[in-house]
Amino acid sequence: AEEASDDASMREADTAGRLLHELMLPRGTAVAFQPKIVSIALQTVACFGVASMTGLALMDMLLGHAYLTASRMTMQPFRRLNNALAVATVLRVLVAVGGVLVINALRPVDRLWGIHGLFIGTRYFVGFLIPAIFVYMAHDCIKRRSTQSATGILYVAGVLIFIGEIVGLYLVRETGLPF
């Protein structure tokens, strides 16, 4: 029964990757890299990154908001969730910056910086650098049990993460790279 469940999960993941690929086909950017499975894998990795960053940012904000009304709760869940957001940010930066640089060096995208430079800068600065600073600031506030300050900082970080991820999805669609 467990093997059947694993096979069903694999089929669902394969179907989701193919669906994402098919949605990108009308623009002509879905198969930026041959073989086709490489493009599907890069797009899937990028979408998992989007889901993790936006989901963790939202949960961190909502948990911080809960602390405003129930101030006697232990800080450990808030600290763990903020640490998870920090780890997700680091992993996302490694894939979106390192992965893009390596893949673009191996298979260059024509005029990547000339055409998409402003969006790439926005992606890296607004989507990664500033939110990373804010996540660190929230971490410091959580250590001091200043949940109201941490929540406000996380609201701003969440908005910036959403902007960065939207720009990242646009870049994935246009270039095929895992922004």
Side-chain angles (χ1 to χ4, degrees):
E2 201 171 301
E3 287 179 26
S5 174
D6 289 343
D7 288 342
S9 296
M10 292 297 287
R11 282 193 303 275
E12 288 173 5
D14 184 50
T15 302
R18 291 184 192 281
L19 176 64
L20 173 66
H21 177 75
E22 297 303 319
L23 289 172
M24 294 178 79
L25 273 176
R27 296 281 302 165
T29 57
V31 185
F33 306 104
Q34 295 294 339
K36 185 176 179 178
I37 193 71
V38 172
S39 286
I40 292 172
L42 291 174
Q43 294 161 6
T44 303
V45 165
C47 287
F48 278 125
V50 169
S52 69
M53 286 290 288
T54 56
L56 285 168
L58 271 175
M59 289 305 300
D60 213 3
M61 287 186 321
L62 291 173
L63 184 59
H65 192 71
Y67 277 93
L68 298 177
T69 58
S71 60
R72 293 182 187 240
M73 292 189 328
T74 177
M75 296 301 287
Q76 196 59 30
F78 199 13
R79 188 174 295 117
R80 275 195 309 256
L81 195 56
N82 196 61
N83 288 339
L85 180 58
V87 168
T89 302
V90 168
L91 292 176
R92 193 78 172 104
V93 166
L94 289 175
V95 170
V97 177
V100 166
L101 293 175
V102 168
I103 293 168
N104 193 49
L106 297 173
R107 297 185 181 180
V109 174
D110 187 39
R111 298 182 319 198
L112 176 66
W113 291 96
I115 295 173
H116 303 291
L118 180 62
F119 290 111
I120 294 170
T122 301
R123 172 72 177 124
Y124 292 161
F125 189 69
V126 174
F128 292 135
L129 182 63
I130 296 173
I133 293 168
F134 284 168
V135 168
Y136 175 76
M137 289 169 59
H139 174 75
D140 191 54
C141 290
I142 292 167
K143 282 194 314 191
R144 300 168 194 261
R145 292 194 57 88
S146 180
T147 58
Q148 187 172 11
S149 299
T151 303
I153 292 167
L154 289 169
Y155 271 94
V156 176
V159 169
L160 294 175
I161 287 170
F162 273 93
I163 292 169
E165 294 302 332
I166 289 168
V167 171
L169 284 172
Y170 168 78
L171 289 167
V172 168
R173 183 174 186 196
E174 293 299 312
T175 66
L177 295 170
F179 278 98

